[in-house]
Amino acid sequence: MTALLLNIAPGDEVIVPSFTFVSSANAFVLRGARPIFADVRPDTLNIDETQIERLISSRTKAIVVVHYAGVGCEMDQIRKIADAHHIPVIEDNAHGLFGYYRGKPLGTFGCMSTLSFHETKNFSCGEGGALLLNDLRYAEQAEIIREKGTNRSQLFRGQVDKYTWLGIGSSYLPSDLLAAYLFGQLERRTEIQRTRQCIWETYEAGLWDWAYKHEVLLPQVPAHCEQAFHMFYLRMPTLEIRQALIDHLRAKGILAPFHYLPLHLSAAGKSSGGRVGDCPIAELASDQIVRLPFFCSITLKEMEEVIAAIQDFTF
Ligand SMILES: *Cc1c(COP(=O)(O)O)cnc(C)c1O
């Protein structure tokens, strides 16, 4: 929907971090745009704001930022660059709902932002998401795109006596059943976020000394960011050690996945020109990351087992 609202068309370019999920790029590729991949910061793994300006061209139609793991991107600098070039910023806020950057909620910095309610997210109805508009100029068109390109929403409000097809759109509505399931969680958001904070802090406290001693990196949260507690990950020194840790945990019945294959080195990214070395920090992070089990119903005992299993890993 963000790509449709911005009238993205073939030949346009959209700046996207390489270290993200495919949806961040796909939305624009579907409209014929070329993703221009930016590297990420070594600390937060968010888009490196110092790399953005050199990627801007006369074809750039949007800058997409992802608040990785629910830690805010450097929005002050990003907004300054985007404003100077009159380019809209879109926040992929799939990880960041209820996080803050300098006291302002994530998702409120771009002209639009998107949420995901996929089952892996803090708030879930299995599949689906939401579009947040921070610029009301897009509201009327968004309503039409969401309703198969029709003005059915206006009919519901009694503003017209029949509805009609006005232009491009699709069926971007969640079902009422899914919305109800999600709403129950949103009503309990404080409790859910507090639980997730507790899980995150238990892992950090339990692994801090071990990580320091073994030169393993833990997530870094700048002081001006209040994170959304989306995930807890380790960054292991090498790909081989990372794989060995995943195998070690699996042997103990603990599922600890890695992610993302940098988009510029995916099959699709390579066929549009991506090369090894284009985004070195994304490439490094992709080899290092192990994500620890993180869900609201995990027990303290289970977390202690995970921590003990990690401390038991020798390399
Ligand atoms: C989950 C996720 C999305 C959205 O995924 P969908 O399956 O399309 O809802 C987008 N960006 C990031 C960074 C994600 O983690």
Side-chain angles (χ1 to χ4, degrees), residues 271-292:
S271 71
S272 58
R275 296 278 175 278
V276 173
D278 287 353
C279 300
I281 306 297
E283 292 166 29
L284 182 67
S286 174
D287 286 350
Q288 292 176 322
I289 283 182
V290 184
R291 296 159 59 194
L292 302 189

Side-chain angles (χ1 to χ4, degrees), residues 4 13 62 73 81 95 106 109 111 120 125 127 129 135 142 159 185 190 282 300 304 311 314:
L4 287 167
E13 293 178 357
C73 297
I81 296 162
H95 300 181
L106 301 181
F109 292 88
C111 63
T120 54
C125 56
E127 288 282 3
D135 183 338
Q159 293 166 329
Q185 293 162 58
T190 309
L300 182 59
E304 283 167 354
Q311 288 171 339
T314 47

Side-chain angles (χ1 to χ4, degrees), residues 19-24 66-68 92-95 114-118 120-121 126-129 230-231 259-260:
F19 195 69
T20 182
F21 188 58
V22 289
S23 295
S24 320
V66 179
H67 304 299
Y68 179 68
D92 175 341
N93 200 26
H95 300 181
T114 56
L115 302 176
S116 172
F117 304 128
H118 183 257
T120 54
K121 305 305 196 285
E127 288 282 3
H230 176 55
M231 71 173 102
H259 75 174
Y260 298 112

